[in-house]
Amino acid sequence: MALKHLLVVLFVAIMTISVADAQTLGIVHVNGTLYCTANGSPGANGNATPVFPNASVQVVCSPDVVPTTPANATTDANGVYRVVLIPRRNATVDSIVSTCRLFVLTPLSICNPNLPSTGLVSNLRFVGTEFILFLRITYMVAAGFTLQA
């Protein structure tokens, strides 16, 4: 009987934590693949478009939304980047989308001398959220890169 009571208490505690955490973003992952094009996206030839390896990327947010920015990463050999953000508890998807920007700091001319010697910038777009055990992960991607001014 004591075990049954303990399981009920544990279940209620887990549900309480889950409902409380549902109000927060948890960890935010900004993921994507950077291509060696003027807008960082696959070109007309799709998968044959070369990727941009070893490019420095950075997510910058308002400190009242994500206090630990800028957050940096480097694209791997396949052009893939992953930046992890730890937002404040009161941060929302809207506050991340409206205050965070993804920058490609490495000039495009590094991957292709015919491209401009500037980097790229993009707003973020919400993709979805998943729960892994007690951890909530919110996924974001680049909304669309443009050349930095």
Side-chain angles (χ1 to χ4, degrees):
M1 187 57 114
L3 181 59
K4 186 176 181 181
H5 179 69
L6 180 61
L7 289 175
V8 169
V9 169
L10 183 60
F11 177 74
V12 170
I14 290 170
M15 292 306 294
T16 303
I17 291 169
S18 296
V19 169
D21 283 346
Q23 305 305 314
T24 65
L25 293 175
I27 296 173
V28 176
H29 284 221
V30 180
N31 306 339
T33 301
L34 184 62
Y35 292 88
C36 187
T37 61
N39 65 1
S41 299
N45 54 356
N47 291 337
T49 304
V51 295
F52 195 166
N54 301 313
S56 294
V57 297
Q58 182 178 73
V59 176
V60 178
C61 302
S62 171
D64 60 327
V65 176
V66 180
T68 56
T69 65
N72 300 303
T74 302
T75 59
D76 67 14
N78 298 315
V80 174
Y81 58 88
R82 294 173 190 89
V83 182
V84 177
L85 306 173
I86 309 296
R88 295 194 185 273
R89 288 196 59 80
N90 63 340
T92 63
V93 168
D94 288 341
S95 66
I96 297 287
V97 168
S98 66
T99 69
C100 297
R101 302 292 174 267
L102 174 60
F103 293 90
V104 177
L105 302 176
T106 306
L108 293 171
S109 58
I110 297 296
C111 71
N112 181 341
N114 295 323
L115 292 174
S117 293
T118 62
L120 299 168
V121 63
S122 176
N123 293 329
L124 298 181
R125 181 173 55 86
F126 172 71
V127 174
T129 301
E130 74 176 339
F131 288 94
I132 300 176
L133 296 176
F134 296 107
L135 182 63
R136 180 180 177 129
I137 301 175
T138 301
Y139 293 98
M140 303 266 182
V141 296
F145 286 105
T146 57
L147 293 172
Q148 288 186 43

Coordinates of all heavy atoms in Angstrom, one line a residue, residues 50-107:
P50 N 27.4 23.2 -53.0 CA 28.4 23.0 -52.0 C 28.0 23.6 -50.6 O 27.4 24.6 -50.6 CB 29.7 23.6 -52.6 CG 29.2 24.6 -53.6 CD 27.8 24.1 -54.1
V51 N 28.4 22.9 -49.6 CA 28.2 23.4 -48.2 C 29.3 24.4 -47.8 O 30.3 24.4 -48.5 CB 28.0 22.3 -47.2 CG1 26.8 21.4 -47.5 CG2 29.3 21.4 -47.1
F52 N 29.1 25.0 -46.7 CA 30.1 26.0 -46.2 C 30.7 25.4 -44.9 O 30.2 25.6 -43.8 CB 29.5 27.3 -45.9 CG 30.4 28.5 -45.7 CD1 29.9 29.8 -45.8 CD2 31.7 28.3 -45.5 CE1 30.7 30.9 -45.6 CE2 32.6 29.4 -45.3 CZ 32.1 30.7 -45.4
P53 N 31.8 24.6 -45.0 CA 32.4 24.1 -43.8 C 33.3 25.1 -43.1 O 33.7 26.1 -43.6 CB 33.3 22.9 -44.4 CG 33.7 23.4 -45.7 CD 32.5 24.2 -46.2
N54 N 33.4 24.8 -41.8 CA 34.3 25.7 -40.9 C 34.0 27.1 -40.9 O 34.8 28.0 -40.7 CB 35.8 25.5 -41.3 CG 36.2 24.0 -41.2 OD1 36.0 23.4 -40.2 ND2 36.9 23.5 -42.3
A55 N 32.7 27.4 -41.1 CA 32.3 28.8 -41.0 C 31.9 29.1 -39.5 O 31.2 28.3 -38.9 CB 31.1 29.1 -41.9
S56 N 32.2 30.3 -39.1 CA 31.8 30.7 -37.7 C 30.4 31.3 -37.7 O 30.1 32.2 -38.6 CB 32.8 31.8 -37.2 OG 34.0 31.3 -37.0
V57 N 29.6 30.7 -36.9 CA 28.2 31.3 -36.8 C 28.0 31.7 -35.3 O 28.6 31.3 -34.4 CB 27.1 30.2 -37.2 CG1 27.3 29.8 -38.6 CG2 27.2 29.0 -36.3
Q58 N 27.1 32.7 -35.2 CA 26.8 33.2 -33.9 C 25.4 33.6 -33.7 O 24.8 34.2 -34.7 CB 27.7 34.5 -33.7 CG 27.6 35.2 -32.4 CD 28.6 36.3 -32.3 OE1 28.4 37.4 -33.0 NE2 29.7 36.2 -31.6
V59 N 24.8 33.3 -32.6 CA 23.4 33.8 -32.3 C 23.5 34.9 -31.2 O 24.2 34.7 -30.2 CB 22.5 32.6 -31.8 CG1 21.1 33.1 -31.4 CG2 22.4 31.5 -32.8
V60 N 22.9 36.0 -31.5 CA 22.9 37.1 -30.6 C 21.5 37.4 -30.3 O 20.6 37.6 -31.2 CB 23.6 38.4 -31.3 CG1 23.6 39.5 -30.3 CG2 25.0 38.0 -31.7
C61 N 21.2 37.5 -29.0 CA 19.9 37.8 -28.5 C 19.9 39.0 -27.5 O 21.0 39.3 -27.0 CB 19.3 36.6 -27.8 SG 19.2 35.1 -28.7
S62 N 18.8 39.6 -27.2 CA 18.7 40.6 -26.2 C 19.0 39.9 -24.9 O 18.5 38.8 -24.6 CB 17.3 41.1 -26.2 OG 17.1 41.9 -25.0
P63 N 19.8 40.5 -24.0 CA 20.2 39.9 -22.7 C 19.1 39.6 -21.8 O 19.2 38.8 -20.9 CB 21.3 40.8 -22.1 CG 21.2 42.1 -22.9 CD 20.5 41.8 -24.2
D64 N 18.0 40.4 -22.0 CA 16.8 40.1 -21.1 C 16.0 38.9 -21.5 O 15.2 38.4 -20.8 CB 15.9 41.3 -21.0 CG 15.3 41.8 -22.3 OD1 16.0 41.6 -23.3 OD2 14.2 42.2 -22.3
V65 N 16.4 38.3 -22.7 CA 15.8 37.1 -23.2 C 16.7 35.9 -23.0 O 16.3 34.8 -22.5 CB 15.3 37.2 -24.7 CG1 14.8 35.9 -25.2 CG2 14.3 38.3 -24.8
V66 N 17.9 36.1 -23.5 CA 19.0 35.0 -23.4 C 20.2 35.7 -22.8 O 20.9 36.4 -23.6 CB 19.3 34.3 -24.7 CG1 20.3 33.3 -24.6 CG2 18.0 33.7 -25.3
P67 N 20.5 35.5 -21.6 CA 21.7 36.3 -21.0 C 23.0 35.8 -21.4 O 24.0 36.5 -21.2 CB 21.5 36.0 -19.4 CG 20.7 34.7 -19.4 CD 19.8 34.7 -20.6
T68 N 23.1 34.6 -22.0 CA 24.4 34.0 -22.3 C 24.8 34.1 -23.8 O 25.3 33.2 -24.4 CB 24.5 32.5 -21.9 OG1 23.4 31.8 -22.5 CG2 24.4 32.3 -20.4
T69 N 24.4 35.2 -24.4 CA 24.7 35.4 -25.8 C 25.8 36.5 -25.9 O 25.8 37.4 -25.0 CB 23.5 35.7 -26.7 OG1 23.0 37.0 -26.3 CG2 22.5 34.6 -26.7
P70 N 26.6 36.5 -26.9 CA 26.5 35.7 -28.1 C 26.9 34.3 -27.8 O 27.7 34.0 -27.0 CB 27.4 36.3 -29.1 CG 28.4 37.1 -28.3 CD 27.7 37.5 -27.0
A71 N 26.2 33.4 -28.6 CA 26.6 31.9 -28.5 C 27.2 31.5 -29.9 O 26.6 31.8 -30.9 CB 25.3 31.1 -28.2
N72 N 28.3 30.9 -29.8 CA 29.1 30.7 -31.1 C 29.1 29.2 -31.4 O 29.0 28.3 -30.5 CB 30.5 31.2 -30.9 CG 30.6 32.7 -30.7 OD1 30.0 33.4 -31.4 ND2 31.1 33.1 -29.6
A73 N 29.3 28.9 -32.7 CA 29.5 27.5 -33.2 C 30.3 27.6 -34.5 O 30.4 28.7 -35.0 CB 28.2 26.8 -33.3
T74 N 30.7 26.5 -34.9 CA 31.4 26.4 -36.2 C 30.8 25.3 -37.0 O 30.5 24.2 -36.5 CB 32.9 26.1 -36.0 OG1 33.5 27.1 -35.2 CG2 33.7 26.0 -37.4
T75 N 30.5 25.5 -38.3 CA 29.9 24.5 -39.1 C 30.9 23.3 -39.3 O 32.1 23.5 -39.3 CB 29.5 25.0 -40.5 OG1 30.7 25.5 -41.2 CG2 28.5 26.1 -40.4
D76 N 30.4 22.1 -39.4 CA 31.2 21.0 -39.5 C 31.5 20.8 -41.0 O 31.2 21.6 -41.9 CB 30.6 19.7 -38.9 CG 29.3 19.2 -39.6 OD1 29.0 19.7 -40.7 OD2 28.6 18.4 -39.0
A77 N 32.1 19.7 -41.4 CA 32.5 19.4 -42.8 C 31.3 19.3 -43.7 O 31.5 19.5 -44.9 CB 33.3 18.1 -42.8
N78 N 30.1 19.1 -43.1 CA 28.9 19.0 -43.9 C 28.1 20.3 -43.9 O 27.0 20.4 -44.4 CB 28.0 17.9 -43.4 CG 28.7 16.6 -43.6 OD1 29.3 16.3 -44.7 ND2 28.7 15.7 -42.6
G79 N 28.7 21.4 -43.3 CA 28.0 22.7 -43.3 C 27.0 22.8 -42.2 O 26.3 23.8 -42.1
V80 N 26.9 21.8 -41.3 CA 25.9 21.7 -40.3 C 26.4 22.5 -39.0 O 27.5 22.4 -38.6 CB 25.6 20.3 -39.8 CG1 24.7 20.2 -38.7 CG2 25.0 19.5 -41.0
Y81 N 25.5 23.3 -38.5 CA 25.7 24.1 -37.3 C 24.7 23.8 -36.2 O 23.5 23.4 -36.6 CB 25.8 25.6 -37.5 CG 24.6 26.2 -38.1 CD1 23.5 26.6 -37.3 CD2 24.4 26.3 -39.5 CE1 22.3 27.1 -37.9 CE2 23.2 26.8 -40.0 CZ 22.2 27.2 -39.2 OH 21.1 27.7 -39.8
R82 N 25.1 23.8 -35.0 CA 24.2 23.6 -33.8 C 24.6 24.6 -32.8 O 25.7 24.6 -32.3 CB 24.3 22.2 -33.3 CG 23.9 21.1 -34.2 CD 24.2 19.7 -33.6 NE 24.0 18.7 -34.6 CZ 24.9 18.3 -35.5 NH1 26.1 18.8 -35.5 NH2 24.6 17.3 -36.3
V83 N 23.7 25.5 -32.4 CA 23.9 26.5 -31.4 C 22.9 26.3 -30.3 O 21.7 26.1 -30.6 CB 23.8 27.9 -31.9 CG1 24.1 28.9 -30.8 CG2 24.7 28.1 -33.1
V84 N 23.4 26.2 -29.1 CA 22.5 26.0 -27.9 C 22.3 27.2 -27.1 O 23.4 27.9 -26.8 CB 23.0 24.8 -27.0 CG1 22.1 24.6 -25.8 CG2 23.1 23.5 -27.8
L85 N 21.1 27.6 -26.8 CA 20.8 28.8 -26.0 C 20.1 28.4 -24.7 O 19.2 27.4 -24.8 CB 19.9 29.7 -26.8 CG 20.4 30.2 -28.2 CD1 19.3 31.0 -28.8 CD2 21.7 31.0 -28.0
I86 N 20.4 29.0 -23.6 CA 19.6 28.8 -22.4 C 18.9 30.1 -22.1 O 19.5 31.1 -21.5 CB 20.6 28.5 -21.2 CG1 21.5 27.4 -21.6 CG2 19.8 28.2 -20.0 CD1 20.9 26.0 -21.9
P87 N 17.6 30.2 -22.5 CA 16.9 31.5 -22.3 C 16.5 31.6 -20.8 O 16.5 30.7 -20.0 CB 15.7 31.3 -23.2 CG 15.5 29.8 -23.3 CD 16.8 29.2 -23.2
R88 N 16.1 32.9 -20.5 CA 15.6 33.1 -19.2 C 14.2 32.4 -19.0 O 13.6 32.1 -20.0 CB 15.4 34.6 -19.0 CG 16.7 35.4 -19.0 CD 16.5 36.8 -18.4 NE 17.7 37.6 -18.5 CZ 18.7 37.6 -17.6 NH1 18.5 36.8 -16.5 NH2 19.8 38.3 -17.7
R89 N 13.8 32.2 -17.8 CA 12.6 31.4 -17.6 C 11.4 32.1 -18.1 O 10.4 31.5 -18.5 CB 12.4 31.2 -16.1 CG 13.4 30.2 -15.5 CD 13.0 29.6 -14.2 NE 11.7 29.0 -14.1 CZ 11.5 27.7 -14.4 NH1 12.4 27.0 -15.0 NH2 10.3 27.2 -14.3
N90 N 11.4 33.4 -18.2 CA 10.2 34.2 -18.7 C 10.2 34.3 -20.2 O 9.3 34.9 -20.8 CB 10.1 35.5 -18.0 CG 11.2 36.4 -18.3 OD1 12.3 36.0 -18.7 ND2 11.1 37.7 -18.1
A91 N 11.3 33.8 -20.9 CA 11.4 33.9 -22.4 C 10.3 33.1 -23.1 O 9.9 32.1 -22.6 CB 12.7 33.5 -22.9
T92 N 9.8 33.6 -24.2 CA 8.8 32.9 -25.0 C 9.3 32.7 -26.4 O 10.4 33.3 -26.8 CB 7.5 33.8 -25.1 OG1 7.8 35.0 -25.8 CG2 6.9 34.1 -23.7
V93 N 8.6 31.9 -27.1 CA 9.0 31.7 -28.5 C 9.0 33.1 -29.2 O 10.0 33.4 -30.0 CB 8.1 30.7 -29.2 CG1 8.3 30.7 -30.7 CG2 8.3 29.3 -28.7
D94 N 8.0 33.9 -29.0 CA 7.9 35.2 -29.7 C 9.1 36.1 -29.3 O 9.6 36.8 -30.1 CB 6.6 35.9 -29.3 CG 5.4 35.3 -30.0 OD1 5.6 34.5 -31.0 OD2 4.3 35.5 -29.6
S95 N 9.5 36.0 -28.0 CA 10.6 36.9 -27.6 C 12.0 36.4 -28.2 O 12.8 37.2 -28.6 CB 10.8 37.0 -26.1 OG 11.1 35.7 -25.5
I96 N 12.1 35.1 -28.4 CA 13.3 34.6 -29.1 C 13.3 35.0 -30.5 O 14.3 35.5 -31.1 CB 13.4 33.1 -29.0 CG1 13.5 32.6 -27.5 CG2 14.5 32.5 -29.8 CD1 14.9 32.8 -26.9
V97 N 12.2 34.8 -31.2 CA 12.1 35.1 -32.6 C 12.3 36.6 -32.9 O 12.9 37.0 -33.8 CB 10.7 34.6 -33.2 CG1 10.4 35.2 -34.6 CG2 10.7 33.1 -33.2
S98 N 11.7 37.4 -32.0 CA 11.8 38.9 -32.2 C 13.2 39.5 -31.8 O 13.5 40.6 -32.3 CB 10.7 39.6 -31.5 OG 10.8 39.5 -30.1
T99 N 13.9 38.9 -30.9 CA 15.2 39.5 -30.4 C 16.4 38.8 -30.8 O 17.5 39.4 -30.6 CB 15.1 39.7 -28.9 OG1 15.2 38.4 -28.3 CG2 13.9 40.5 -28.4
C100 N 16.4 37.6 -31.3 CA 17.6 36.9 -31.7 C 17.9 36.9 -33.1 O 17.0 36.8 -34.0 CB 17.5 35.4 -31.2 SG 17.3 35.2 -29.4
R101 N 19.2 36.9 -33.5 CA 19.6 36.9 -34.9 C 20.7 35.9 -35.0 O 21.6 35.8 -34.1 CB 20.1 38.3 -35.4 CG 19.1 39.4 -35.3 CD 18.0 39.2 -36.2 NE 16.9 40.2 -36.1 CZ 15.9 40.1 -35.3 NH1 15.7 39.0 -34.6 NH2 15.0 41.1 -35.2
L102 N 20.8 35.2 -36.1 CA 21.8 34.2 -36.4 C 22.7 34.9 -37.5 O 22.3 35.3 -38.5 CB 21.2 33.0 -37.0 CG 22.1 31.9 -37.5 CD1 23.1 31.4 -36.4 CD2 21.4 30.7 -38.1
F103 N 24.0 35.0 -37.1 CA 25.0 35.6 -38.0 C 26.0 34.6 -38.5 O 26.4 33.7 -37.7 CB 25.8 36.7 -37.2 CG 25.0 37.9 -36.8 CD1 24.3 37.9 -35.6 CD2 24.9 39.0 -37.7 CE1 23.6 39.0 -35.2 CE2 24.1 40.1 -37.3 CZ 23.5 40.1 -36.1
V104 N 26.4 34.7 -39.7 CA 27.5 33.9 -40.3 C 28.6 34.9 -40.3 O 28.6 35.9 -41.1 CB 27.2 33.3 -41.7 CG1 28.4 32.6 -42.2 CG2 26.0 32.4 -41.6
L105 N 29.6 34.7 -39.5 CA 30.7 35.7 -39.3 C 31.8 35.6 -40.4 O 32.5 36.5 -40.7 CB 31.3 35.6 -37.9 CG 30.3 35.8 -36.8 CD1 31.0 35.6 -35.4 CD2 29.7 37.2 -36.8
T106 N 32.0 34.3 -40.9 CA 33.0 34.1 -41.9 C 32.5 34.6 -43.2 O 31.4 34.3 -43.7 CB 33.2 32.6 -42.0 OG1 33.6 32.1 -40.7 CG2 34.4 32.3 -43.0
P107 N 33.3 35.4 -43.9 CA 32.9 36.0 -45.2 C 32.6 34.9 -46.2 O 33.3 33.9 -46.3 CB 34.1 36.8 -45.6 CG 34.9 37.1 -44.4 CD 34.6 35.9 -43.5

